[in-house]
Amino acid sequence: MSLLAQSIINGLITGSIYALVAAGYSLIYSTNNFMHFAHGISVVAAGYMVYWLFTLAGTPFYVTCIITVILSALFGLAMYRLIYLPLQRKGASNVILLIASIGILTFFQNVIQIAFGSGVKLIGYIEVAKGITFAGITMTLLQIVILVISFIIFIMLYQFMQRTKLGRNMRAVSNNKELASIVGINHIRVSDFSFLIGSGLAGVAGILVALEQNLSPLMGTNLMIKGFTGAVIGGINYVPGSIVGSFLLGLAENLGILVLPSGYKDAIAFSMLFLFLLFKPNGILGKKEGRFDK
Amino acid sequence: MRTGKFGKVAIVMLIILGILFTAGCTDTEEVTEDTGEDTITVGIMGPYTGGAAVYGNAAKDGAMLAFNEANLSNVEVIVEDTKSETKEAATAMNKMVSVDNVQAVVGDLISAATLAAAPIAEQNQVVMISPASTSTDVSDAGDYIFRTIPGDDGQGIFAAQTMSDAGYTKLALLYTNDQYGNGLATIITEEFTSLGGEIVAEETYEAGSSDMRTQLTKIKDANPEVVYIVSNTPDSSVALLRQVTEIGIEADIYGSEGLKVGSILELGDSVEGITITSVSPESEEFKQKYMDEYGEEPPAFAAQAYDAATAIIMAIEDGATNGEEIKDKLYEMEFDGASGHIKFDENGDVEGGYVLVEVQDGAFVTLEE
């Protein structure tokens, strides 16, 4: 029994990390309509920023977190303004932008590797110790914090998308870019904000991933693939959907290997990705008028 | 068009940096001047980027130390990065054989990568000496395939016997789902059960992944007395050991030599008392030489790479000029290397010895046998 309960908790922890990656990714996808795979590097860069500011330079932890989130947001904006937007203005198709995003991901992975080396980095803010056991479930304080922070962020994000003018504009652009332009919404400005907010979320994800796991230059690819899979499962053009999808993915991976040999963990994730792409490309909660079937 | 000048400049800069970076990957490190007709080209290949880069760079440094020391006028050394990927190893070997005309290669490290490159080397009569591939399959990879590290059979049997001698009867295995992990796990299972022990749980994970909580939860549920961990990437080693503590596994922890990386020591008290089965340590003389050159203690596989390079150098000094002659000399030679006594058997394997290393007060301490 406790094995099942513990696995559900493990799935939720994994899922919350996937969801933090997927939320920002899906926010950017829904307003810009191209695959921003370099989102993964925003997460990793944020993690290394924490390592640099906190572990190496000794900046207080909370200051480090604030600086990291702000710089991540600006990093995202810079990617849009310096690379994607100029390419779009030259009439580049979404495939070109996808390739450009993979290029950015690879490029910065190598920059990080040159700057920090290929070894594993530990933040060392929290001492490694046995988690708190409650009703047969063991969780560390950090994992509880991660779950709580992700829930708070997701609620805030949802409220923002539903209640604020900017959020409504984002949904309008996501829904129909031409129509949004006609009613006077500046889609470049909306894209600016989607990159700022989405990459800021990547900053939060980076901080939490750096604390919960370790840092290595190549971790971005894996995080991105899992975040993308979660987003597709839940509905890539709808932020709440991609969050739900990521939690489902985390649960499926961890519950799946209770029955199957653990070597099948990634196979479970990718089988789900294929099944959804084939039979439900808009995901569980994705909108019918989504771009995948156009 | 309103595309800012800055945007264009940034793109051009990215492209230029990209080219520079790619060019930097295949640097040719010439040891001496090319003297013309009888230059023998020797390659070093391994993962200098990617998950296993820490080990790859150590091996490259170790091998370069030997080549620089020998300073042979008729040897040119080239380096190829195989990026911790199997297909890259085959690509690198193909390139070295067809473009650079190499006769002997030190590398690869990862067993799967070595095995991917081995058929190409064998077919083209190029000698390959791996400083780190321990998979049992490497023994049968071909006449031209050697290694200066003993195979997994040795480590597996040693690990199983050590744990059995220590009185453990219920063992849980957690290993990477690849050639190395599966090979080692099979040998430990066979040996440990034949010694009267029982394998109570067997879990795997993908090399480089950092979330093994559910695997560890299953292991905890099986209530083992001891857990043996097989890891060959530092990412996974650190993540695993951290999660072992967090999940609260009470069993004693043993592990393969992949756990012997400096970064696990940063986990502090939680890794105290972990026991690692490791190949015999490098000679003091080599340790000193390496420290003088690179300013740090030699990481795993540096000594084995030094010996692999030394073997090739000795064969060339002895008059060998091509892959076939180097191969013949290798089967005849015998010397005391940095990593121990080197004598290749008919499979191109060395015997080697093992020791136990324990984490004590935040350092790796070799236990007296």
Side-chain angles (χ1 to χ4, degrees), chain A residues 192-244:
Chain A
D192 279 349
F193 277 104
S194 73
F195 268 93
L196 271 175
I197 297 168
S199 305
L201 282 176
V204 178
I207 295 169
L208 296 176
V209 169
L211 290 175
E212 169 64 14
Q213 304 180 348
N214 325 295
L215 289 170
S216 70
L218 301 182
M219 64 195 286
T221 316
N222 197 28
L223 279 173
M224 196 58 249
I225 290 172
K226 292 295 169 66
F228 172 73
T229 308
V232 169
I233 291 171
I236 194 164
N237 51 14
Y238 183 54
V239 176
S242 64
I243 292 168
V244 171

Side-chain angles (χ1 to χ4, degrees), chain B residues 263-325:
Chain B
S263 37
I264 75 154
L265 298 176
E266 290 179 41
L267 293 171
D269 283 349
S270 63
V271 292
E272 281 293 309
I274 286 175
T275 312
I276 298 165
T277 52
S278 169
V279 285
S280 304
E282 59 279 330
S283 66
E284 283 302 319
E285 187 196 346
F286 173 74
K287 209 176 197 173
Q288 199 53 48
K289 256 193 285 196
Y290 192 93
M291 281 179 71
D292 289 346
E293 183 72 23
Y294 302 108
E296 54 165 5
E297 281 205 21
F301 312 127
Q304 283 79 8
Y306 180 86
D307 287 346
T310 306
I312 294 172
I313 291 164
M314 282 170 65
I316 293 172
E317 279 175 336
D318 204 20
T321 55
N322 60 32
E324 197 184 349
E325 289 170 19

Side-chain angles (χ1 to χ4, degrees), chain A residues 2-3 6-7 10 13-14 81-83 86 89-90 107 110 113-114 118-120 122 127-131 138 140 143 211-214 216 218 254 257-258 260 262-263 265-266, chain B residues 1-3 6-8 11 14 17 21 49-51 53-54 57 177 203-204 206 210-211 213-215 217-218 220-221 234-235 238-239 242 245-248 250 263 266-267 270:
Chain A
S2 81
L3 183 62
Q6 180 73 52
S7 298
N10 292 345
I13 298 165
T14 316
R81 279 285 173 165
L82 297 180
I83 293 159
R89 285 190 166 136
K90 285 189 196 307
F107 175 78
N110 287 303
Q113 199 156 4
I114 291 166
S118 51
V120 187
L122 280 84
E127 201 178 327
V128 179
K130 185 176 187 288
T138 306
T140 63
Q143 289 164 352
L211 290 175
E212 169 64 14
Q213 304 180 348
N214 325 295
S216 70
L218 301 182
N254 283 287
I257 59 170
L258 279 185
L260 294 170
S262 38
K265 197 169 181 182
D266 282 349
Chain B
M1 216 182 272
R2 218 170 63 83
T3 317
F6 187 61
K8 282 179 190 160
I11 290 172
L14 273 181
L17 281 171
F21 184 78
T49 53
V54 179
N57 286 307
N177 194 12
E203 297 293 325
T204 64
E206 293 307 316
S210 47
D211 175 12
R213 280 187 211 90
T214 297
Q215 287 94 319
T217 306
K218 285 166 84 176
K220 188 184 175 189
D221 200 56
D235 298 22
V238 173
R242 175 199 290 255
T245 312
E246 288 178 352
I247 296 254
E250 307 283 343
S263 37
E266 290 179 41
L267 293 171
S270 63

